[in-house]
Amino acid sequence: MAGESDYGAFTEKFIIKPSSSPDQELPLKGLTFAVKDIFDMEGYVTGFGNPDWARTHPAATTTAPAVLAVLSGGATCMGRTVMDEMAYSINGENKHYGTPKNICSPDRLPGGSSSGSAVAVGGMLVDFSLGTDTGGSVRVPASYCGILGFRPSHGVVSTTGVIPLAQSLDTVGWFARDADILNRVGRVLLQLPEVEPVKPTHITIAEDCFQLLSIPSQRVTSVLVKSVEKLFGGHILKYVCLGYYVKDNVPTLKHFKGERLEDQEYNVAPLAALSTAYRLLERSEFKNNHGEWVSTVKPDLGSGISERVWAAVRSTDENIDVCHSVKTELHAALTALLGVSIPLGTYDNLPVSVSLLAKHGSDGLLLNLVETLYGTLKEQIDIAQELSY
């Protein structure tokens, strides 16, 4: 079990060396990584964040392709990390293994469900780590812990050997402290060739989302805008109200009558309806995947998780076809199932981050863009922090 020396990040520590000759020049040579306890690793029981799950499942007989890929890329595995039970939370807490310590803000939660993987990177225990992201489980802890987190396009990194939460939404993601390592890991997992960075043709800012911030805009949007202007010119910047865009382009949302779609402050009602559709789809697939096991074993679950799990198990599949239609329409409208969380320093001693999206399949372009932007972003962050004092 995890201890204080590792900030509570690990459930189990061990070393698995790269499956390659030490003389080979490989993209991840010399790097260390940790793995969320949701990935199968041959000879180890995949714990899924819960001792009852570990007790009722045998050791894995194969290793997940995503883990094999980074081992083949030259990296050394240092162990398995704490996660929210059954991956069904975004907080980062675990009743059984403890809550990993948020290095940026020790009195705050680290974010989940890939909490231990984020803390292992944030605490400099490893160079990068693997997690999963269904509805934010890499991007949220990356943001909370002040590190980089990447959710790739759905379906482009194999989820074989990964316990599913909701397979229509599940992705394999990863964390790093700097953009170079984030990019190198991504190119291994995505099997991308080395290419010269491509200049983006436009960058769109969802203004209504940023209006909900409780911190000054210069600490987020202004930092990003000034960095883009410096590198690429202000002419590529565009602005959109995401709420209106979703309302106009995802007509099936009208079936969610409980979420009012008429105009209101910042017009976030369509986004709230979208969130409802996502939660219903996630709940249905979770029930199909794990409902029988939960009903039979009746696992010991922490507060919050227990209520959520049992609500899913007892739910009906109402509106699930409509949820799939919403997902299809949103994909067509935004082509934006890809996201990366970029740290933007701190405000009031708490980490600040911004999330960038690119169209489905443009993972390599986004990885290169992050690496290109990152140095200039840090310069603008320093200026913004000086102005705020």
Short mmCIF file of all heavy atoms in Angstrom, two decimals, residues 251-298:
data_model
loop_
_atom_site.label_atom_id
_atom_site.label_comp_id
_atom_site.label_asym_id
_atom_site.label_seq_id
_atom_site.Cartn_x
_atom_site.Cartn_y
_atom_site.Cartn_z
N PRO A 251 -29.62 18.99 -32.18
CA PRO A 251 -31.07 19.14 -31.99
C PRO A 251 -31.69 18.10 -31.06
O PRO A 251 -32.72 18.37 -30.44
CB PRO A 251 -31.63 19.01 -33.41
CG PRO A 251 -30.56 18.33 -34.20
CD PRO A 251 -29.27 18.77 -33.59
N THR A 252 -31.07 16.93 -30.95
CA THR A 252 -31.63 15.87 -30.10
C THR A 252 -31.66 16.27 -28.63
O THR A 252 -32.39 15.67 -27.83
CB THR A 252 -30.84 14.56 -30.30
OG1 THR A 252 -30.80 14.25 -31.69
CG2 THR A 252 -31.50 13.39 -29.58
N LEU A 253 -30.90 17.28 -28.25
CA LEU A 253 -30.90 17.73 -26.85
C LEU A 253 -32.29 18.20 -26.40
O LEU A 253 -32.56 18.25 -25.20
CB LEU A 253 -29.89 18.87 -26.65
CG LEU A 253 -28.44 18.47 -26.44
CD1 LEU A 253 -27.59 19.73 -26.30
CD2 LEU A 253 -28.26 17.58 -25.23
N LYS A 254 -33.16 18.53 -27.35
CA LYS A 254 -34.50 18.99 -26.97
C LYS A 254 -35.29 17.91 -26.23
O LYS A 254 -36.26 18.21 -25.53
CB LYS A 254 -35.28 19.44 -28.20
CG LYS A 254 -35.64 18.33 -29.17
CD LYS A 254 -36.41 18.90 -30.35
CE LYS A 254 -36.83 17.80 -31.33
NZ LYS A 254 -35.67 17.24 -32.05
N HIS A 255 -34.86 16.66 -26.34
CA HIS A 255 -35.55 15.57 -25.64
C HIS A 255 -35.28 15.59 -24.13
O HIS A 255 -35.98 14.91 -23.38
CB HIS A 255 -35.13 14.21 -26.21
CG HIS A 255 -35.59 14.00 -27.62
ND1 HIS A 255 -36.89 13.67 -27.94
CD2 HIS A 255 -34.92 14.09 -28.80
CE1 HIS A 255 -37.00 13.56 -29.25
NE2 HIS A 255 -35.83 13.81 -29.80
N PHE A 256 -34.27 16.32 -23.71
CA PHE A 256 -33.96 16.40 -22.29
C PHE A 256 -34.72 17.59 -21.69
O PHE A 256 -34.17 18.65 -21.43
CB PHE A 256 -32.45 16.51 -22.06
CG PHE A 256 -31.74 15.26 -22.46
CD1 PHE A 256 -31.24 15.12 -23.74
CD2 PHE A 256 -31.59 14.21 -21.57
CE1 PHE A 256 -30.59 13.96 -24.13
CE2 PHE A 256 -30.96 13.04 -21.95
CZ PHE A 256 -30.46 12.91 -23.23
N LYS A 257 -36.02 17.37 -21.50
CA LYS A 257 -36.91 18.46 -21.11
C LYS A 257 -36.61 18.97 -19.70
O LYS A 257 -36.97 20.08 -19.35
CB LYS A 257 -38.37 17.99 -21.21
CG LYS A 257 -38.77 17.58 -22.62
CD LYS A 257 -40.24 17.27 -22.69
CE LYS A 257 -40.63 16.73 -24.07
NZ LYS A 257 -40.31 17.66 -25.14
N GLY A 258 -35.95 18.15 -18.89
CA GLY A 258 -35.60 18.58 -17.53
C GLY A 258 -34.53 19.66 -17.53
O GLY A 258 -34.35 20.36 -16.55
N GLU A 259 -33.80 19.78 -18.65
CA GLU A 259 -32.75 20.80 -18.75
C GLU A 259 -33.27 21.91 -19.66
O GLU A 259 -33.42 21.73 -20.86
CB GLU A 259 -31.47 20.18 -19.33
CG GLU A 259 -30.93 19.02 -18.53
CD GLU A 259 -30.37 19.47 -17.20
OE1 GLU A 259 -30.19 20.68 -17.00
OE2 GLU A 259 -30.12 18.61 -16.36
N ARG A 260 -33.58 23.07 -19.11
CA ARG A 260 -34.17 24.15 -19.90
C ARG A 260 -33.17 24.68 -20.91
O ARG A 260 -32.05 25.03 -20.58
CB ARG A 260 -34.63 25.28 -18.98
CG ARG A 260 -35.68 24.81 -17.97
CD ARG A 260 -36.27 25.98 -17.22
NE ARG A 260 -35.24 26.87 -16.73
CZ ARG A 260 -35.46 28.13 -16.40
NH1 ARG A 260 -36.64 28.65 -16.55
NH2 ARG A 260 -34.47 28.89 -15.94
N LEU A 261 -33.60 24.75 -22.17
CA LEU A 261 -32.71 25.17 -23.24
C LEU A 261 -32.89 26.64 -23.62
O LEU A 261 -32.20 27.15 -24.48
CB LEU A 261 -32.92 24.30 -24.49
CG LEU A 261 -32.54 22.82 -24.31
CD1 LEU A 261 -32.76 22.08 -25.61
CD2 LEU A 261 -31.10 22.68 -23.87
N GLU A 262 -33.86 27.33 -23.01
CA GLU A 262 -34.03 28.74 -23.36
C GLU A 262 -32.85 29.56 -22.82
O GLU A 262 -32.11 29.11 -21.97
CB GLU A 262 -35.35 29.29 -22.81
CG GLU A 262 -35.46 29.29 -21.31
CD GLU A 262 -36.12 28.02 -20.78
OE1 GLU A 262 -36.10 27.00 -21.48
OE2 GLU A 262 -36.64 28.07 -19.66
N ASP A 263 -32.74 30.76 -23.33
CA ASP A 263 -31.61 31.61 -22.97
C ASP A 263 -31.60 31.90 -21.47
O ASP A 263 -32.64 32.10 -20.85
CB ASP A 263 -31.67 32.93 -23.73
CG ASP A 263 -31.43 32.73 -25.21
OD1 ASP A 263 -31.00 31.63 -25.62
OD2 ASP A 263 -31.69 33.67 -25.96
N GLN A 264 -30.41 31.90 -20.90
CA GLN A 264 -30.21 32.35 -19.54
C GLN A 264 -28.79 32.88 -19.46
O GLN A 264 -28.09 32.94 -20.47
CB GLN A 264 -30.42 31.21 -18.54
CG GLN A 264 -29.53 30.00 -18.79
CD GLN A 264 -29.69 28.93 -17.73
OE1 GLN A 264 -28.76 28.65 -17.01
NE2 GLN A 264 -30.87 28.34 -17.64
N GLU A 265 -28.36 33.32 -18.30
CA GLU A 265 -27.03 33.92 -18.19
C GLU A 265 -25.97 32.99 -18.75
O GLU A 265 -25.89 31.82 -18.39
CB GLU A 265 -26.72 34.23 -16.73
CG GLU A 265 -25.43 35.04 -16.57
CD GLU A 265 -25.16 35.37 -15.11
OE1 GLU A 265 -25.80 34.76 -14.24
OE2 GLU A 265 -24.30 36.23 -14.88
N TYR A 266 -25.17 33.49 -19.70
CA TYR A 266 -24.10 32.76 -20.37
C TYR A 266 -24.61 31.61 -21.23
O TYR A 266 -23.84 30.89 -21.83
CB TYR A 266 -23.07 32.21 -19.36
CG TYR A 266 -22.53 33.26 -18.43
CD1 TYR A 266 -22.38 33.00 -17.08
CD2 TYR A 266 -22.17 34.53 -18.89
CE1 TYR A 266 -21.88 33.96 -16.21
CE2 TYR A 266 -21.68 35.49 -18.04
CZ TYR A 266 -21.54 35.21 -16.70
OH TYR A 266 -21.05 36.17 -15.85
N ASN A 267 -25.95 31.39 -21.27
CA ASN A 267 -26.53 30.34 -22.10
C ASN A 267 -25.86 28.99 -21.89
O ASN A 267 -25.49 28.30 -22.83
CB ASN A 267 -26.46 30.72 -23.59
CG ASN A 267 -27.41 29.86 -24.41
OD1 ASN A 267 -28.55 29.65 -24.01
ND2 ASN A 267 -26.95 29.36 -25.53
N VAL A 268 -25.70 28.58 -20.63
CA VAL A 268 -25.07 27.28 -20.35
C VAL A 268 -26.07 26.15 -20.27
O VAL A 268 -25.69 25.00 -20.09
CB VAL A 268 -24.27 27.33 -19.03
CG1 VAL A 268 -23.10 28.29 -19.14
CG2 VAL A 268 -25.17 27.70 -17.86
N ALA A 269 -27.38 26.45 -20.41
CA ALA A 269 -28.38 25.39 -20.32
C ALA A 269 -28.14 24.26 -21.33
O ALA A 269 -28.27 23.08 -20.97
CB ALA A 269 -29.78 25.98 -20.47
N PRO A 270 -27.79 24.54 -22.59
CA PRO A 270 -27.51 23.43 -23.51
C PRO A 270 -26.33 22.57 -23.05
O PRO A 270 -26.33 21.36 -23.27
CB PRO A 270 -27.19 24.14 -24.83
CG PRO A 270 -27.86 25.46 -24.72
CD PRO A 270 -27.76 25.83 -23.28
N LEU A 271 -25.36 23.19 -22.42
CA LEU A 271 -24.22 22.42 -21.93
C LEU A 271 -24.63 21.56 -20.74
O LEU A 271 -24.14 20.45 -20.57
CB LEU A 271 -23.07 23.36 -21.54
CG LEU A 271 -22.58 24.31 -22.65
CD1 LEU A 271 -21.39 25.12 -22.17
CD2 LEU A 271 -22.23 23.53 -23.91
N ALA A 272 -25.56 22.07 -19.92
CA ALA A 272 -26.09 21.27 -18.81
C ALA A 272 -26.87 20.08 -19.35
O ALA A 272 -26.78 18.96 -18.83
CB ALA A 272 -26.98 22.13 -17.92
N ALA A 273 -27.64 20.29 -20.42
CA ALA A 273 -28.38 19.19 -21.04
C ALA A 273 -27.42 18.16 -21.63
O ALA A 273 -27.63 16.95 -21.53
CB ALA A 273 -29.31 19.73 -22.13
N LEU A 274 -26.35 18.65 -22.22
CA LEU A 274 -25.33 17.76 -22.77
C LEU A 274 -24.70 16.91 -21.67
O LEU A 274 -24.48 15.71 -21.82
CB LEU A 274 -24.26 18.61 -23.46
CG LEU A 274 -23.27 17.92 -24.37
CD1 LEU A 274 -23.98 17.27 -25.54
CD2 LEU A 274 -22.24 18.93 -24.87
N SER A 275 -24.45 17.54 -20.53
CA SER A 275 -23.90 16.82 -19.39
C SER A 275 -24.86 15.74 -18.90
O SER A 275 -24.44 14.63 -18.55
CB SER A 275 -23.61 17.81 -18.25
OG SER A 275 -23.18 17.15 -17.09
N THR A 276 -26.16 16.03 -18.92
CA THR A 276 -27.15 15.03 -18.52
C THR A 276 -27.11 13.82 -19.44
O THR A 276 -27.16 12.67 -19.00
CB THR A 276 -28.57 15.65 -18.52
OG1 THR A 276 -28.61 16.69 -17.55
CG2 THR A 276 -29.62 14.61 -18.19
N ALA A 277 -27.04 14.07 -20.75
CA ALA A 277 -26.98 12.97 -21.72
C ALA A 277 -25.73 12.13 -21.50
O ALA A 277 -25.79 10.88 -21.55
CB ALA A 277 -27.01 13.54 -23.14
N TYR A 278 -24.62 12.79 -21.25
CA TYR A 278 -23.38 12.07 -20.98
C TYR A 278 -23.52 11.18 -19.74
O TYR A 278 -23.14 10.01 -19.75
CB TYR A 278 -22.22 13.06 -20.79
CG TYR A 278 -21.10 12.51 -19.96
CD1 TYR A 278 -20.19 11.63 -20.51
CD2 TYR A 278 -20.99 12.83 -18.61
CE1 TYR A 278 -19.18 11.07 -19.75
CE2 TYR A 278 -19.99 12.29 -17.84
CZ TYR A 278 -19.08 11.41 -18.41
OH TYR A 278 -18.10 10.86 -17.63
N ARG A 279 -24.07 11.73 -18.66
CA ARG A 279 -24.19 10.98 -17.42
C ARG A 279 -25.11 9.77 -17.57
O ARG A 279 -24.83 8.69 -17.02
CB ARG A 279 -24.68 11.88 -16.28
CG ARG A 279 -23.65 12.90 -15.82
CD ARG A 279 -24.02 13.49 -14.46
NE ARG A 279 -25.36 14.06 -14.46
CZ ARG A 279 -25.64 15.31 -14.79
NH1 ARG A 279 -24.67 16.13 -15.17
NH2 ARG A 279 -26.89 15.76 -14.74
N LEU A 280 -26.19 9.92 -18.33
CA LEU A 280 -27.11 8.80 -18.55
C LEU A 280 -26.44 7.68 -19.33
O LEU A 280 -26.61 6.50 -19.03
CB LEU A 280 -28.37 9.28 -19.28
CG LEU A 280 -29.32 10.15 -18.48
CD1 LEU A 280 -30.45 10.67 -19.38
CD2 LEU A 280 -29.90 9.38 -17.30
N LEU A 281 -25.67 8.07 -20.36
CA LEU A 281 -24.96 7.06 -21.16
C LEU A 281 -23.90 6.35 -20.34
O LEU A 281 -23.79 5.12 -20.37
CB LEU A 281 -24.33 7.75 -22.38
CG LEU A 281 -23.54 6.85 -23.34
CD1 LEU A 281 -24.40 5.72 -23.86
CD2 LEU A 281 -22.98 7.68 -24.50
N GLU A 282 -23.15 7.12 -19.56
CA GLU A 282 -22.13 6.54 -18.69
C GLU A 282 -22.76 5.58 -17.69
O GLU A 282 -22.27 4.46 -17.48
CB GLU A 282 -21.38 7.64 -17.96
CG GLU A 282 -20.30 7.14 -17.01
CD GLU A 282 -19.70 8.25 -16.18
OE1 GLU A 282 -20.48 8.95 -15.48
OE2 GLU A 282 -18.48 8.43 -16.22
N ARG A 283 -23.86 5.99 -17.08
CA ARG A 283 -24.53 5.17 -16.07
C ARG A 283 -25.03 3.86 -16.66
O ARG A 283 -24.88 2.79 -16.06
CB ARG A 283 -25.69 5.95 -15.46
CG ARG A 283 -26.38 5.25 -14.31
CD ARG A 283 -27.46 6.12 -13.71
NE ARG A 283 -28.60 6.25 -14.60
CZ ARG A 283 -29.67 7.00 -14.34
NH1 ARG A 283 -29.72 7.72 -13.22
NH2 ARG A 283 -30.68 7.07 -15.18
N SER A 284 -25.61 3.92 -17.86
CA SER A 284 -26.15 2.73 -18.50
C SER A 284 -25.04 1.73 -18.82
O SER A 284 -25.17 0.52 -18.57
CB SER A 284 -26.88 3.12 -19.79
OG SER A 284 -27.26 1.98 -20.52
N GLU A 285 -23.93 2.23 -19.35
CA GLU A 285 -22.85 1.32 -19.72
C GLU A 285 -22.14 0.78 -18.49
O GLU A 285 -21.72 -0.39 -18.48
CB GLU A 285 -21.88 2.03 -20.67
CG GLU A 285 -22.53 2.35 -22.01
CD GLU A 285 -21.55 2.80 -23.07
OE1 GLU A 285 -20.37 3.07 -22.75
OE2 GLU A 285 -21.97 2.88 -24.24
N PHE A 286 -22.03 1.60 -17.44
CA PHE A 286 -21.47 1.10 -16.18
C PHE A 286 -22.32 -0.06 -15.65
O PHE A 286 -21.81 -1.09 -15.23
CB PHE A 286 -21.39 2.21 -15.15
CG PHE A 286 -20.88 1.76 -13.81
CD1 PHE A 286 -19.52 1.75 -13.54
CD2 PHE A 286 -21.75 1.32 -12.81
CE1 PHE A 286 -19.04 1.32 -12.30
CE2 PHE A 286 -21.28 0.89 -11.59
CZ PHE A 286 -19.92 0.89 -11.33
N LYS A 287 -23.64 0.12 -15.66
CA LYS A 287 -24.54 -0.93 -15.18
C LYS A 287 -24.37 -2.21 -16.01
O LYS A 287 -24.28 -3.31 -15.45
CB LYS A 287 -25.99 -0.44 -15.25
CG LYS A 287 -27.00 -1.51 -14.87
CD LYS A 287 -28.43 -1.02 -15.07
CE LYS A 287 -29.43 -2.13 -14.78
NZ LYS A 287 -30.83 -1.67 -14.97
N ASN A 288 -24.33 -2.07 -17.32
CA ASN A 288 -24.17 -3.25 -18.18
C ASN A 288 -22.85 -3.96 -17.94
O ASN A 288 -22.77 -5.20 -18.00
CB ASN A 288 -24.29 -2.85 -19.65
CG ASN A 288 -25.70 -2.42 -20.02
OD1 ASN A 288 -26.66 -2.79 -19.36
ND2 ASN A 288 -25.81 -1.63 -21.08
N ASN A 289 -21.82 -3.19 -17.66
CA ASN A 289 -20.49 -3.76 -17.45
C ASN A 289 -20.34 -4.41 -16.07
O ASN A 289 -19.72 -5.47 -15.95
CB ASN A 289 -19.41 -2.67 -17.60
CG ASN A 289 -19.25 -2.20 -19.02
OD1 ASN A 289 -19.43 -2.96 -19.96
ND2 ASN A 289 -18.94 -0.93 -19.19
N HIS A 290 -20.89 -3.78 -15.05
CA HIS A 290 -20.55 -4.17 -13.68
C HIS A 290 -21.74 -4.39 -12.74
O HIS A 290 -21.54 -4.74 -11.57
CB HIS A 290 -19.63 -3.11 -13.06
CG HIS A 290 -18.44 -2.80 -13.90
ND1 HIS A 290 -17.52 -3.76 -14.29
CD2 HIS A 290 -18.01 -1.63 -14.45
CE1 HIS A 290 -16.58 -3.19 -15.03
NE2 HIS A 290 -16.85 -1.91 -15.14
N GLY A 291 -22.97 -4.19 -13.24
CA GLY A 291 -24.13 -4.31 -12.38
C GLY A 291 -24.28 -5.68 -11.73
O GLY A 291 -24.60 -5.78 -10.53
N GLU A 292 -24.04 -6.72 -12.49
CA GLU A 292 -24.18 -8.07 -11.94
C GLU A 292 -23.16 -8.32 -10.83
O GLU A 292 -23.49 -8.89 -9.78
CB GLU A 292 -24.02 -9.11 -13.05
CG GLU A 292 -24.23 -10.54 -12.58
CD GLU A 292 -24.12 -11.55 -13.70
OE1 GLU A 292 -24.05 -11.15 -14.89
OE2 GLU A 292 -24.09 -12.77 -13.40
N TRP A 293 -21.92 -7.88 -11.04
CA TRP A 293 -20.88 -8.07 -10.02
C TRP A 293 -21.24 -7.29 -8.75
O TRP A 293 -21.13 -7.81 -7.65
CB TRP A 293 -19.53 -7.61 -10.55
CG TRP A 293 -18.43 -7.77 -9.54
CD1 TRP A 293 -17.72 -8.89 -9.25
CD2 TRP A 293 -17.95 -6.74 -8.64
NE1 TRP A 293 -16.82 -8.64 -8.24
CE2 TRP A 293 -16.94 -7.35 -7.84
CE3 TRP A 293 -18.25 -5.41 -8.44
CZ2 TRP A 293 -16.24 -6.63 -6.87
CZ3 TRP A 293 -17.57 -4.70 -7.47
CH2 TRP A 293 -16.58 -5.31 -6.69
N VAL A 294 -21.68 -6.05 -8.91
CA VAL A 294 -22.04 -5.23 -7.74
C VAL A 294 -23.19 -5.89 -6.97
O VAL A 294 -23.15 -5.98 -5.74
CB VAL A 294 -22.43 -3.80 -8.18
CG1 VAL A 294 -23.03 -3.02 -7.01
CG2 VAL A 294 -21.23 -3.05 -8.75
N SER A 295 -24.21 -6.36 -7.68
CA SER A 295 -25.37 -6.97 -7.03
C SER A 295 -25.01 -8.27 -6.32
O SER A 295 -25.57 -8.59 -5.26
CB SER A 295 -26.47 -7.24 -8.07
OG SER A 295 -26.91 -6.04 -8.65
N THR A 296 -24.07 -9.02 -6.88
CA THR A 296 -23.68 -10.31 -6.29
C THR A 296 -22.73 -10.14 -5.12
O THR A 296 -22.91 -10.71 -4.05
CB THR A 296 -23.02 -11.19 -7.37
OG1 THR A 296 -23.93 -11.38 -8.45
CG2 THR A 296 -22.63 -12.56 -6.80
N VAL A 297 -21.69 -9.34 -5.31
CA VAL A 297 -20.62 -9.20 -4.31
C VAL A 297 -21.00 -8.19 -3.22
O VAL A 297 -20.59 -8.33 -2.07
CB VAL A 297 -19.30 -8.79 -5.00
CG1 VAL A 297 -18.20 -8.50 -3.97
CG2 VAL A 297 -18.85 -9.87 -5.97
N LYS A 298 -21.79 -7.19 -3.59
CA LYS A 298 -22.12 -6.10 -2.66
C LYS A 298 -20.84 -5.53 -2.02
O LYS A 298 -20.62 -5.61 -0.82
CB LYS A 298 -23.09 -6.57 -1.58
CG LYS A 298 -24.45 -6.98 -2.13
CD LYS A 298 -25.38 -7.45 -1.05
CE LYS A 298 -26.78 -7.71 -1.60
NZ LYS A 298 -26.80 -8.67 -2.72
#
